[in-house]
Amino acid sequence: MASRLNPYLTFAGDARQAMEFYQQVFGGTLNLNSYGDFGQPDPAMADKIMHGLLETPNGFTLMGADNPEGAGKQGEHKYAVSLSGDDDTELRGYWEKLSEGGQVSVPLDKQMWGDVFGMCTDRFGVPWMVNISEKTG
């Protein structure tokens, strides 16, 4: 397998719901492994997600998991997940799904650099940036 770089998101107990939501947004194949699948004896953690992997038809890869007990609380996000390209319909569709039930900080609109851009935080507290550039050629 070739090396790749992709986001790995952590959640405070709702990783299953979040990863299933992202599968609805982006499509693709979702594999979820719970702590119980790997022998976690604590019933409170057995159904929580130890590792989730979403691979989409467009080549997106998104991973996520619930914070294990004792790992501390999930802090304020110091990142955003960025989606960009020139397929207006596709990217607007992602935007609509991601922003629904979340909070929009920058409405998806034409910006001074010429692209359509927006920022939102989804219902799971994950920040997203969407940039739609004009098709060339």
Side-chain angles (χ1 to χ4, degrees):
M1 172 169 44
S3 297
R4 63 181 172 189
L5 177 70
N6 59 269
Y8 200 115
L9 308 175
T10 58
F11 299 92
D14 56 0
R16 180 182 306 278
Q17 296 89 339
M19 296 301 290
E20 288 171 349
F21 169 70
Y22 299 135
Q23 183 184 31
Q24 290 173 1
V25 171
F26 300 112
T29 303
L30 176 62
N31 292 304
L32 298 173
N33 300 106
S34 70
Y35 285 93
D37 292 338
F38 291 96
Q40 170 60 260
D42 179 2
M45 284 300 292
D47 287 336
K48 302 298 180 197
I49 299 303
M50 187 171 119
H51 178 70
L53 170 66
L54 175 64
E55 294 181 296
T56 75
N58 288 345
F60 301 161
T61 299
L62 185 62
M63 295 179 182
D66 287 310
N67 265 352
E69 292 293 322
K73 295 190 181 210
Q74 181 178 1
E76 182 179 327
H77 295 287
K78 304 289 184 202
Y79 64 88
V81 182
S82 175
L83 290 168
S84 57
D86 62 7
D87 189 325
D88 186 86
T89 302
E90 177 182 63
L91 290 164
R92 283 182 188 275
Y94 295 150
W95 170 264
E96 291 301 319
K97 292 174 185 176
L98 290 167
S99 62
E100 183 180 334
Q103 184 171 351
V104 173
S105 55
V106 176
L108 189 65
D109 204 357
K110 185 106 170 168
Q111 301 297 325
M112 64 180 149
W113 61 88
D115 292 351
V116 172
F117 175 83
M119 293 175 62
C120 68
T121 301
D122 71 25
R123 65 180 90 167
F124 296 99
V126 174
W128 293 86
M129 298 186 303
V130 175
N131 191 87
I132 307 168
S133 57
E134 291 187 25
K135 287 188 178 188
T136 58

